[in-house]
């Protein structure tokens, strides 16, 4: 059974289903970022999921226990940090379809990434197409144009073929599992 | 009555005490960052407080309700983002004493800022000395040296006089309330 959370990043799986899901995309990214940090390659962290705390209980002799809270919509994206002295910011998405639908990313997250790009930062979307087991990095300017075209009546999703055409394929492996900074080098530092 | 939270940033005040507390430092910083964003001067956000969710309830026809969760120690600092194309990262602290004690900042946060600085980012600590109503920006390299001296048997805090000597005084006002990017300009872009 999969529990329905208000947005994908807050989704959790029962322990018994871990194996059948393979390595979670988010988990792979976290391990990758830890690898980058340990090797002083980049300092990139996932931001905590924003939670609105309503009630807190203080049991004697133990730490504060939150007893009522709700998931909030994130203001920005999931990941940011520093790479080669530059600010880097991205959103990571996975889809079980052959085309990534724009409705699965918040419009204000797209706007946020666009602004980061305009201020000279590195900003992109990472999309994991589970059916083909491929991850693509798509620069926000490119992503933004496709998104705008969708709003104007065009295609409201990015098929994996399109991603391979306009994005950069991310090498998947073991150390690190999702080497997206290699794709960043190809696109932003070539 | 002030509720005791596990770390300062999670601290909340009862509504009735807002006035006597004056504008909260964190609140002032959030308004300042919003001002910077609106004016396309910088994109800096406060990270959400990390919370470990243990149990979630799903009442019929309503959104997920977290019924058991705990505050976690933050991995990094409170604020980061992009300014003039550069990565910026800082921790904001307030003290009601005339000297800021190092025990009020996590050692791993200091290490994090040090690493950011080493990778070419702008990294500092903002300290609000409530008794004198002054905010100082102290670059992490300077802060780190004082901290190390404290570990080696020296002073384990930074008095406001020292802050005014080694740091940059931050202009306090209305729009924005805490104009720390002016201090950043003075220190990092002069």
């Amino acid at each position: 059974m999969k529990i329905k959370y208000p947005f994908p990043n807050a989704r959790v799986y029962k322990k018994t289903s871990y194996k059948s899901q393979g390595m979670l995309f988010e988990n792979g990214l976290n391990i990758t970022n830890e690898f980058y940090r340990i090797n002083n390659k980049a300092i990139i962290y996932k931001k905590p999921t924003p939670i609105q705390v309503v009630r807190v209980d203080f049991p004697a002799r133990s730490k504060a226990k939150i007893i009522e809270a709700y998931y909030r919509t994130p203001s920005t994206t999931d990941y940011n940090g520093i790479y080669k002295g530059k600010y880097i910011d991205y959103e990571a998405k996975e889809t079980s379809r052959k085309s990534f639908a724009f409705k699965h990313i918040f419009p204000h997250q797209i706007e946020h990434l666009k602004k980061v790009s305009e201020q000279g930062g590195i900003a992109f979307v990472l999309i994991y197409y589970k059916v083909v087991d491929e991850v693509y990095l798509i620069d926000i300017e490119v992503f933004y144009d496709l998104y705008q075209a969708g709003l104007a009546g065009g295609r409201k999703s990015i098929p994996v073929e399109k991603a391979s055409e306009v994005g950069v394929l991310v090498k998947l492996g073991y150390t690190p599992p999702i080497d997206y900074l290699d794709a960043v080098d190809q696109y932003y530092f070539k």
Side-chain angles (χ1 to χ4, degrees), chain A:
Chain A
M1 195 201 88
K2 202 180 283 177
I3 294 164
K4 266 198 175 176
Y5 272 69
F7 32 83
N9 295 320
R11 197 177 290 160
V12 291
Y13 301 93
K14 281 198 148 185
K15 276 207 171 154
T16 47
S17 70
Y18 262 128
K19 273 181 191 166
S20 59
Q21 293 286 342
M23 178 184 277
L24 289 171
F25 186 42
E26 181 186 318
N27 196 27
L29 285 173
N30 290 341
I31 292 169
T32 298
N33 286 332
E34 199 180 344
F35 175 86
Y36 290 152
R37 289 198 302 270
I38 289 167
N39 291 282
N40 288 317
K41 191 173 165 76
I43 308 171
I44 299 163
Y45 280 91
K46 184 179 186 299
K47 291 184 188 173
T49 304
I51 288 169
Q52 178 71 46
V53 174
V54 177
R55 277 199 301 162
V56 182
D57 190 22
F58 297 89
R61 292 169 187 276
S62 70
K63 60 181 178 174
K65 180 181 177 184
I66 297 161
I67 54 170
E68 186 182 353
Y70 301 92
Y71 290 105
R72 280 168 45 206
T73 305
S75 308
T76 60
T77 48
D78 274 351
Y79 300 88
N80 75 353
I82 181 171
Y83 177 53
K84 291 187 175 174
K86 296 200 83 177
Y87 177 72
I88 190 167
D89 195 314
Y90 62 93
E91 182 65 19
K93 290 289 174 189
E94 54 186 306
T95 178
S96 49
R97 295 172 187 276
K98 283 193 173 172
S99 197
F100 173 75
F102 293 124
K103 67 180 176 191
H104 293 306
I105 184 166
F106 290 112
H108 70 266
Q109 292 182 316
I110 298 171
E111 295 298 333
H112 169 75
L113 289 169
K114 184 78 166 77
K115 281 187 180 168
V116 165
S117 169
E118 282 161 9
Q119 295 213 5
I122 297 169
F124 54 86
V125 180
L126 280 184
I127 306 173
Y128 176 35
Y129 293 88
K130 282 196 257 187
V131 271
V132 290
D133 197 31
E134 287 174 354
V135 175
Y136 287 94
L137 177 156
I138 302 179
D139 175 62
I140 191 59
E141 299 292 341
V142 174
F143 188 95
Y144 195 80
D145 288 347
L146 295 172
Y147 172 69
Q148 288 297 328
L151 290 180
R155 181 148 197 169
K156 280 155 185 59
S157 69
I158 304 176
V160 63
E161 296 79 17
K162 187 75 183 172
S164 80
E165 188 191 313
V166 300
V168 182
L169 182 66
V170 173
K171 274 192 295 183
L172 305 182
Y174 292 95
T175 47
I178 304 164
D179 194 9
Y180 65 90
L181 286 183
D182 178 74
V184 165
D185 283 340
Q186 285 179 55
Y187 195 90
Y188 300 96
F189 293 96
K190 64 193 163 192

